Amino acid sequence: MLETKKSAMLVAYAAIGSDERKKKSVVNRLKRHLDAGMEAFNLDEITATAELDPATLLGSLNTLPFGAEKRFVIVNAADRLDMTVKDMLVDYLSNPNSACTLCLLFDSLPKKTLLYKAIASVGPQAIIDCAPKKNRSLVAEVKMFAGARGMYMDDSAIYELIKRSGESGKLLEKQVIQLCTLCRAQGHISYNDVVNNISQTAEIKPWDFLDPICQRNAVAALTQYHLMVNPSQIALLVMLVGRLRELICTQSLMARGQEYVLASTLRKRDFQIDKYKRWVRNFAPGELSRFLQACADCDRDLKSGADPDIRFTQLILQICGAVQQ
């Protein structure tokens, strides 16, 4: 949307999302429209603060370009703008300077706000989506990061990296560069390389918390549980019951010699199925069914007013075998 001719560019754009690589790409594409040697006159790049004076920004927006068709004003971290500045921008966009293009970079901007509506009314391409890619899309991108540096990274390593580092493309690329340096001699990056070298910085996803429970690792399970922000014990319990049922299914199919249908039955990838096979070996026959009953008891207690944190912790310890059943 920014590859068009300068004369056809909109008077305002908003790049919205937490993917810093995408926002940087938007800014770089915008800057390519600057005439060589005129950057000092026709580019004003501002990092927003709560103290930014509305009159200062308005003055920059109303300044005419010098020796060129267009002037560009880029506002980084626009989430920090004071409401008076946002109100000024809404008024400005009702009668903007046609020789100036404004680009606002937001981590988020609700669609119901007046500023979002004012920017969207400028044109159908004024809102630029810079949200992080979903996991499936990220896998291909991370694999590309590694491949560009002559390294191979398998899916299990990529999923673990995303789980630990989050969905920021910029951060993932930095982590891949670090791993490529550490693993250069072996020519590939494995799951264990990620586990041993990348710290957990992203907020724990609820479904990732279930893995150490399946390993019956009480310390890891409680560590990840306490890393979650304001978890819903009821929601976690529902997910835990689902995982226990999957393990019961795995145990049953393995006992009948039908491992070959595990992936299609559980709708999981091969490397995930390998984990399920390992996990079920941690449980004696009939034990998983007893833990389903323990989950039902926990659900009853939670809905009867028991302390949710204490009661759910007791369930974790019970399944991990850290307390007497």
Side-chain angles (χ1 to χ4, degrees), residues 249-320:
C249 180
T250 301
Q251 201 173 56
S252 176
L253 289 172
M254 289 179 66
R256 296 203 301 263
Q258 295 181 320
E259 296 182 27
Y260 59 91
V261 298
L262 273 172
S264 59
T265 302
L266 298 180
R267 298 181 181 180
K268 304 289 182 183
R269 293 174 177 267
D270 288 340
F271 78 87
Q272 292 173 306
I273 291 300
D274 290 339
K275 291 195 293 186
Y276 276 69
K277 291 177 183 178
R278 292 196 303 270
W279 289 336
V280 295
R281 296 189 182 101
N282 297 324
F283 299 91
E287 203 170 19
L288 288 166
S289 297
R290 290 198 297 274
F291 289 143
L292 276 181
Q293 181 58 53
C295 288
D297 295 340
C298 180
D299 181 66
R300 181 198 60 222
D301 294 343
L302 290 174
K303 292 175 179 177
S304 299
D307 183 288
D309 194 47
I310 293 175
R311 185 63 185 90
F312 195 71
T313 298
Q314 290 172 341
L315 178 65
I316 294 172
L317 293 174
Q318 182 180 351
I319 295 175
C320 291

Side-chain angles (χ1 to χ4, degrees), residues 195-209:
V195 171
N196 294 333
N197 295 291
I198 303 299
S199 300
Q200 179 75 47
T201 55
E203 182 184 341
I204 298 296
K205 299 290 194 300
W207 46 89
D208 293 328
F209 150 74

Side-chain angles (χ1 to χ4, degrees), residues 151 178-190 193 197:
M151 298 286 282
Q178 176 187 337
L179 288 166
C180 286
T181 302
L182 292 170
C183 305
R184 177 63 59 190
Q186 64 196 44
H188 69 276
I189 300 167
S190 69
D193 292 324
N197 295 291

